[in-house]
Amino acid sequence: MSQWGRGRRRWLSFPLLVLFASAAIHAQSSGKKAVSTNDEDFAKSVKEWTTRPDFISPLVDHLPKVAGIPSPKDVLGHHIGEPKKLTYYADILKYYRALAAATPRVKVVTIGRSNEDRDLVVVFVGSDDSIKNLEQYRTYLGQLADPRTITPQQATQIIAKAKPLYHLSGGLHSAEVGPSEMLMELAYRLVTEDSPIINAIRDNVIVSITPAADPDGRDRNVDWYYKYGINETEGRTTGASVPYWGKYVFHDDNRDINYSQVEMRSLLDWYFEWHPPIMHDLHQAQTLLYTFSGQAPQNPNLDPILYAELPMMANFEMAQFAKYGMPGVWTHGFVDMWSPGYLAFMSSNHNGMIRMYEIQGFSGANTQKMRLGNPNSPAAGNPAGAGQGGRGAGAGTADAAANAAGRGNQSVREWYRPWPATGEFEWSLRNNTNYGETGVITALQYTSQFPKIILENFYVKSRNSMNAWQQDGITAYVIPAGQRDMTRVERLVNLLRLQGIEIARTAADAEFDDGKYPAGSFVVKRNQPYSRLVKTLLEKQVYPDANLRTYDDAAWTMGLMSQVDVKETRDKHVFDSGYVKLNPIVEREIHLPGALTGSGSLTAVAHYGSNNMITLRYRLRDMKIQAAEKEFKHGETTLPAGSFVITGDAARVKGEVERLGLTAVALSSAPDVPLHDLDLPRLAVFSTWGNTQEVGWVRYAFDKFGVPFDLIYKERVKKGDLKSAYDVILMPMQGGSGKRIVFDVENRGQPIEYKKSDRFTFLGMYGESDDITGGMGLEGVAEFEKFVKAGGVLVTLGTASYFPAEFGLAPRVDAARTSPQFYAPGPIVEAEILKPEHPIFYGYDKKTIPVRYASGPLLTVQTNTNPFEPPPGPPPTPNSVLMRYPGGDEHVLSGLMRGAAEIRNRAAIVDEPSGKGRVILFAGNPCYRWQNFGEFNMLFNTVLNYNDIKTVPDKPANTTAGQP
Ligand SMILES: [Zn+2]
């Protein structure tokens, strides 16, 4: 395997090694001296596992051996990077804890529990002084993070004493296995090595480590590797990846802008205690190492200092790698600086610095062949899946799934890739370790040489943020009190608070330049340390250049996503406590209690569009609850269509109404409007085995709002008789076409089981299967058809709506695709409600609402029975089209939609009766990543009113509608 002997020697291969070997005495704390030697076994193994001599640096080709301090091999039984060896999370923790027990240079802190109850930890590594005085260094960083707490002179003094905290995260994406292994070796090296580079890092920088940001997924992926991956050879792969990483999401833990997942939230909470000026996520996908430098499109709200810092560090790393003779390191041309939802953005959003690597690797620990192009043939392919990447392109591991392939070729020289990797070679886990660890040590080396500059920049960025409003003139965002549904206001306020944003409430009615605000309105002033983030989250995203692609979403405007009124003001009076009295919110979370007024035998709960309505229904599941089909009035209160009328136990109802922030009035008799019973459906959520992430977001929302459901797969569908078990089957967004949903994971000749066993205890969670390949097939389609015909309600979201259109479950509905020129990375656009009386729209009081565009199908409903004799005039819209996109640039509210005319008048929601049942197709995704809270209610209304939905059939007419 090793080609070591044939490789060229590089000039730097020996000096560090010699220097290290000569430093035989390794000083430990409290005067105790430990004898240090080189670990010959390590050097020999690593040399053997490294597949080419230029795939290693002198920083990592050796490891000290120090009596009393366990190396990874001492605890795990093998050196890091051994082929076919991956470490389970419990063993990773075991290692760090053993290391912490053996040296005063390491401390392990528990920061929370994962969804599956694993310990979430941060490991601190530094000099004896750093770890002993960690609390003091933490305090310094907190002071620099909030410039209001210190004078500039004090800042100078603090910077002189403080040390930068550099945070490293591995294992955010569970198939990107290498960094979680590498970080253990890094920690050991930082503790034990005595060399100028490491000594400077240890003395001048405090390193903190998230060993595996998604520990549940780590274990599941390691199980999967040992069950399947380890036996795979070239040309003989299962082609299937483990159906789940974390409980709910895969790579979207790096898109969790609202920190919904407990693992991400725990790290955010930790952030506010420690304020690391740099957070660096270690991913795995690009050839051979990509280092993020913050390319365009860039978020213009962030400090120009940051945009200079990012390429500075990336370029230093590229130069060092080149000096070590390691090819294939590049920057630029992959991930941009537009969306602020990547995990490490928690740092740059709070005046620190996000950093990212993508290191070449595979989802397991096998050594695999890579075939890259040569610089003169940009079209060269690579069966291993690597090497084909420009911006938005992926390779090798799961990041590839999120990327479109083929843009750019990583074997081609570019200004940002001066020395690409080319040709054929084997790639091993140890190569991944070598690149990752060399990169990280180099980043830390840079930090250790400029620790004061990094701290000063952090302080100045924080201070600049306080004054950023002077450039754009926006002094505050105001969220008015008295909005119809205050539960979404509460959620928005709490999400801002979660991010450390300061918010105050007006003590009395207030008037600013742009209007009057009632007492209790929320004022988010811009003269605060996180004012840049305030603007980033609340403004409408104005995309800088329609020709630029972005790696993720183009828009996230929280007010639009929540359908909450958020005003921008330029009035400087907001800073004047003599003009307006503001009461700062001191709690991390607020609660705006609901109210029930009056007394009576019935309670009417107003449906103002709160997502908590469904929670109320389920919490009171044993009570008789009806929905009013028309608006009615009671005293001063207007109760819109969809409001609940609840019989009995007013005290119990009152308690829930208050807890859930709803508005209710007591009635002495039923209102004089038609009512229907809100029966609770037997609800199933269907998931393929190959696309569980968007399903996961829906599961998460249902879990949070207390909506019980069965998660079903093809196994249940093929059993048949769905109608006897379920009333509603929801098919969340998954797959890119109907065909993908029906045939799902390809079968390559052997069954792929997802089941728990004594050996593989982390498989078979959230469902199990004897064979995840093959999909439901046509027999599954037939079962879905029987279900609908027998009276079931099938609800499809986003791309899942191709399924009923393409497989004839909604025969009149056609699903088309946009042109290749169309580009819409999640903009927020207007949608027009055509049937406001339909139960799906209970709680909405506007005819046009903002929705996130999900790039689902372009839906058309055919009603033309005679194409040869079209009636005169414009075709009427079929009754089953409930909502449509007006389309066109003028209806794009935030972010980018290139080719917006292509969606003009396309159906956004279709309700097609079929047999005794119906199919409800959403072109968009009303339950997206815990973000578009304003749309959730349409999905929840569908569930609650499933057997009271009536769409008047179209008059027999020669029409085609929903056409552009
Ligand atoms: Zn990744």
Side-chain angles (χ1 to χ4, degrees):
M1 188 94 60
S2 171
Q3 303 171 32
W4 192 262
R6 290 186 280 118
R8 64 204 161 86
R9 301 299 306 183
R10 283 151 299 128
W11 68 274
L12 255 172
S13 307
F14 67 93
L16 285 172
L17 189 60
V18 170
L19 187 128
F20 167 73
S22 67
I25 301 302
H26 175 75
Q28 281 295 293
S29 66
S30 52
K32 199 175 77 187
K33 307 240 166 174
V35 176
S36 158
T37 56
N38 267 315
D39 185 334
E40 296 303 335
D41 177 56
F42 173 91
K44 185 171 158 289
S45 303
V46 163
K47 190 170 169 179
E48 186 186 316
W49 302 334
T50 299
T51 60
R52 236 169 62 178
D54 53 343
F55 290 159
I56 194 165
S57 75
L59 301 180
V60 300
D61 62 359
H62 60 276
L63 199 67
K65 214 174 163 58
V66 179
I69 301 184
S71 74
K73 185 171 183 175
D74 292 333
V75 174
L76 308 174
H78 59 87
H79 295 299
I80 298 300
E82 178 168 340
K84 306 209 166 190
K85 284 274 184 347
L86 291 180
T87 312
Y88 284 98
Y89 187 66
D91 292 327
I92 292 176
L93 291 189
K94 194 170 142 198
Y95 177 66
Y96 285 115
R97 286 182 170 138
L99 191 61
T103 170
R105 294 176 174 179
V106 174
K107 186 174 181 186
V108 179
V109 175
T110 299
I111 63 164
R113 311 284 296 170
S114 73
N115 266 315
E116 293 173 13
D117 210 29
R118 288 174 178 82
D119 253 351
L120 301 171
V121 305
V122 169
V123 180
F124 292 90
V125 187
S127 65
D128 295 17
D129 160 71
S130 297
I131 301 302
K132 192 173 143 212
N133 299 304
L134 213 44
E135 188 56 28
Q136 183 60 60
Y137 290 112
R138 186 180 78 83
T139 306
Y140 291 149
L141 290 171
Q143 289 170 316
L144 298 176
D146 188 349
R148 294 168 300 187
T149 60
I150 47 175
T151 64
Q153 289 73 25
Q154 286 171 323
T156 306
Q157 291 159 7
I158 290 167
I159 289 165
K161 293 181 286 187
K163 295 181 183 184
L165 178 61
Y166 194 116
H167 188 75
L168 294 158
S169 282
L172 178 58
H173 292 157
S174 305
E176 301 166 16
V177 295
S180 292
E181 305 285 337
M182 176 274 283
L183 288 168
M184 291 187 275
E185 183 174 300
L186 174 80
Y188 176 78
R189 189 182 300 283
L190 291 177
V191 167
T192 57
E193 186 164 318
D194 190 8
S195 66
I197 288 176
I198 299 296
N199 290 349
I201 293 169
R202 193 165 51 228
D203 289 343
N204 300 335
V205 185
I206 303 171
V207 177
S208 57
I209 294 171
T210 293
D214 175 3
D216 302 343
R218 169 79 190 179
D219 280 349
R220 210 162 356 262
N221 189 73
V222 172
D223 257 1
W224 192 256
Y225 170 69
Y226 282 125
K227 187 172 166 74
Y228 290 111
I230 196 166
N231 301 316
E232 292 183 350
T233 54
E234 191 175 354
R236 230 188 111 256
T237 59
T238 63
S241 64
V242 65
Y244 290 93
W245 288 351
K247 180 175 181 182
Y248 296 108
V249 301
F250 276 80
H251 30 71
D252 272 4
D253 57 3
N254 201 32
R255 313 284 189 278
D256 190 7
I257 192 168
N258 289 325
Y259 297 93
S260 65
Q261 302 303 300
V262 66
E263 297 83 4
M264 284 62 246
R265 200 163 54 246
S266 299
L267 192 63
L268 182 69
D269 291 344
W270 174 84
Y271 177 88
F272 290 119
E273 276 182 52
W274 289 91
H275 302 99
I278 306 178
M279 292 184 88
H280 189 159
D281 282 339
L282 301 168
H283 293 269
Q284 189 174 290
Q286 301 300 309
T287 305
L288 294 170
L289 185 145
Y290 159 83
T291 173
F292 177 68
S293 55
Q295 71 182 56
Q298 295 179 329
N299 178 343
N301 294 321
L302 296 174
D303 199 301
I305 294 171
L306 171 67
Y307 287 115
E309 286 177 310
L310 286 170
M312 203 150 65
M313 288 193 76
N315 285 331
F316 178 70
E317 288 158 348
M318 281 206 297
Q320 291 296 97
F321 271 104
K323 211 155 67 180
Y324 298 138
M326 298 169 80
V329 178
W330 55 292
T331 185
H332 191 78
F334 186 54
V335 180
D336 58 81
M337 199 71 181
W338 184 250
S339 165
Y342 310 115
L343 186 63
F345 246 97
M346 79 172 65
S347 181
S348 43
N349 282 339
H350 298 98
N351 306 314
M353 194 193 321
I354 175 180
R355 304 208 67 225
M356 268 188 262
Y357 284 169
E358 297 276 359
I359 310 158
Q360 178 63 51
F362 307 111
S363 61
N366 293 2
T367 301
Q368 291 183 44
K369 187 83 141 187
M370 289 183 60
R371 296 182 181 83
L372 305 180
N374 68 59
N376 304 317
S377 62
N382 172 27
Q388 297 291 318
R391 169 157 29 93
T397 61
D399 273 355
N403 306 333
R407 255 174 279 131
N409 181 331
Q410 295 182 18
S411 296
V412 174
R413 189 191 176 282
E414 301 278 2
W415 65 263
Y416 52 82
R417 191 188 298 117
W419 186 14
T422 57
E424 285 186 29
F425 49 83
E426 302 254 291
W427 188 259
S428 67
L429 180 62
R430 185 62 215 187
N431 293 357
N432 173 285
T433 307
N434 294 341
Y435 269 76
E437 195 173 347
T438 298
V440 165
I441 291 173
T442 301
L444 293 172
Q445 178 189 7
Y446 179 94
T447 308
S448 75
Q449 296 306 302
F450 302 102
K452 304 303 167 189
I453 300 285
I454 283 162
L455 291 167
E456 188 178 79
N457 288 359
F458 179 50
Y459 168 69
V460 174
K461 283 185 285 186
S462 303
R463 207 178 57 189
N464 288 350
S465 184
M466 306 267 311
N467 303 319
W469 66 273
Q470 291 169 356
Q471 280 145 39
D472 52 60
I474 300 164
T475 54
Y477 288 86
V478 186
I479 307 167
Q483 300 193 34
R484 231 166 70 111
D485 172 27
M486 290 302 284
T487 67
R488 276 174 286 139
V489 171
E490 175 187 300
R491 185 173 302 283
L492 196 158
V493 166
N494 285 338
L495 289 173
L496 295 174
R497 293 288 299 140
L498 187 67
Q499 292 246 42
I501 289 167
E502 296 169 6
I503 305 176
R505 302 189 74 176
T506 53
D509 291 358
E511 184 169 0
F512 300 129
D513 281 354
D514 59 303
K516 291 181 177 174
Y517 295 97
S521 292
F522 297 89
V523 179
V524 193
K525 291 194 284 184
R526 293 285 313 292
N527 60 346
Q528 59 171 301
Y530 301 150
S531 94
R532 294 181 189 277
L533 178 60
V534 169
K535 183 163 183 283
T536 295
L537 294 176
L538 296 178
E539 72 179 347
K540 293 181 180 183
Q541 276 75 54
V542 180
Y543 200 77
D545 180 349
N547 294 313
L548 289 176
R549 296 182 77 86
T550 183
Y551 193 75
D552 200 65
D553 283 341
W556 48 84
T557 314
M558 288 179 78
L560 294 175
M561 284 287 205
S562 299
Q563 299 187 17
V564 161
D565 199 12
V566 179
K567 303 280 193 196
E568 194 176 280
T569 184
R570 287 162 194 269
D571 193 332
K572 292 185 191 130
H573 279 118
V574 297
F575 300 140
D576 180 357
S577 58
Y579 180 83
V580 56
K581 181 165 164 31
L582 296 174
N583 299 322
I585 296 174
V586 290
E587 307 85 6
R588 187 83 186 273
E589 276 201 349
I590 59 155
H591 176 55
L592 305 175
L596 166 59
T597 50
S599 63
S601 57
L602 299 174
T603 309
V605 185
H607 197 332
Y608 293 149
S610 172
N611 294 319
N612 292 351
M613 293 297 277
I614 198 165
T615 310
L616 178 72
R617 179 67 192 96
Y618 276 97
R619 285 191 187 170
L620 305 178
R621 72 182 65 203
D622 53 312
M623 294 182 73
K624 179 178 164 71
I625 302 187
Q626 294 172 295
E629 296 185 353
K630 297 257 189 279
E631 176 185 300
F632 64 97
K633 279 194 187 303
H634 180 80
E636 296 295 294
T637 310
T638 299
L639 294 113
S643 294
F644 290 5
V645 177
I646 308 174
T647 306
D649 205 345
R652 184 175 162 209
V653 178
K654 186 172 194 286
E656 293 299 348
V657 161
E658 286 170 355
R659 273 188 286 280
L660 293 170
L662 301 168
T663 303
V665 291
L667 306 176
S668 48
S669 60
D672 189 19
V673 291
L675 301 168
H676 63 247
D677 288 343
L678 284 174
D679 304 310
L680 292 175
R682 298 167 299 161
L683 174 66
V685 173
F686 172 82
S687 180
T688 51
W689 286 110
N691 265 292
T692 63
Q693 175 160 277
E694 296 294 343
V695 182
W697 283 113
V698 172
R699 288 169 46 227
Y700 179 74
F702 279 176
D703 286 353
K704 292 305 275 187
F705 286 102
V707 181
F709 62 92
D710 282 357
L711 178 61
I712 64 168
Y713 301 86
K714 63 173 172 122
E715 284 75 11
R716 175 63 192 88
V717 173
K718 290 208 268 193
K719 252 195 223 165
D721 206 9
L722 290 166
K723 185 64 191 73
S724 71
Y726 300 111
D727 302 303
V728 178
I729 301 180
L730 172 65
M731 194 179 270
M733 185 145 166
Q734 54 199 298
S737 66
K739 205 167 97 181
R740 285 264 59 81
I741 287 172
V742 173
F743 299 105
D744 197 19
V745 182
E746 180 194 351
N747 183 293
R748 295 190 179 173
Q750 60 160 328
I752 305 296
E753 176 187 87
Y754 176 64
K755 275 184 138 168
K756 197 188 284 281
S757 67
D758 289 347
R759 171 64 187 84
F760 302 114
T761 54
F762 310 122
L763 304 182
M765 294 183 77
Y766 317 113
E768 59 172 41
S769 176
D770 291 331
D771 182 10
I772 63 170
T773 73
M776 68 166 104
L778 294 177
E779 57 176 305
V781 177
E783 294 302 336
F784 269 108
E785 184 171 32
K786 280 189 233 164
F787 168 75
V788 171
K789 291 274 195 269
V793 178
L794 172 65
V795 183
T796 56
L797 310 184
T799 53
S801 292
Y802 282 112
F803 167 66
E806 291 176 351
F807 284 84
L809 277 83
R812 299 197 310 162
V813 181
D814 285 332
R817 287 172 190 273
T818 48
S819 76
Q821 290 74 43
F822 180 84
Y823 180 51
I828 303 168
V829 301
E830 282 185 323
E832 184 191 355
I833 295 172
L834 301 177
K835 306 282 175 202
E837 69 287 356
H838 196 285
I840 281 187
F841 303 115
Y842 284 163
Y844 293 88
D845 61 340
K846 297 187 175 70
K847 197 166 186 302
T848 300
I849 59 172
V851 297
R852 180 185 179 278
Y853 190 76
S855 293
L858 295 177
L859 297 176
T860 310
V861 180
Q862 303 289 345
T863 59
N864 190 349
T865 51
N866 184 353
F868 302 106
E869 286 180 44
T877 303
N879 281 327
S880 63
V881 178
L882 307 182
M883 186 166 86
R884 71 179 172 193
Y885 300 111
D889 293 338
E890 65 277 24
H891 296 286
V892 178
L893 300 173
S894 187
L896 172 68
M897 179 178 274
R898 196 168 66 208
E902 289 191 31
I903 68 164
R904 203 179 286 286
N905 292 336
R906 290 290 190 162
I909 305 176
V910 175
D911 170 20
E912 274 284 286
S914 174
K916 290 185 196 160
R918 59 204 325 109
V919 182
I920 298 176
L921 305 88
F922 287 76
N925 181 357
C927 194
Y928 174 76
R929 286 184 184 169
W930 201 242
Q931 277 190 50
N932 52 349
F933 303 109
E935 294 177 69
F936 281 27
N937 183 43
M938 293 189 282
L939 178 61
F940 293 167
N941 281 336
T942 308
V943 171
L944 283 181
N945 298 279
Y946 76 99
N947 58 354
D948 293 286
I949 291 173
K950 304 171 197 85
T951 291
V952 182
D954 293 310
K955 291 191 200 91
N958 300 340
T959 58
T960 297
Q963 296 282 30

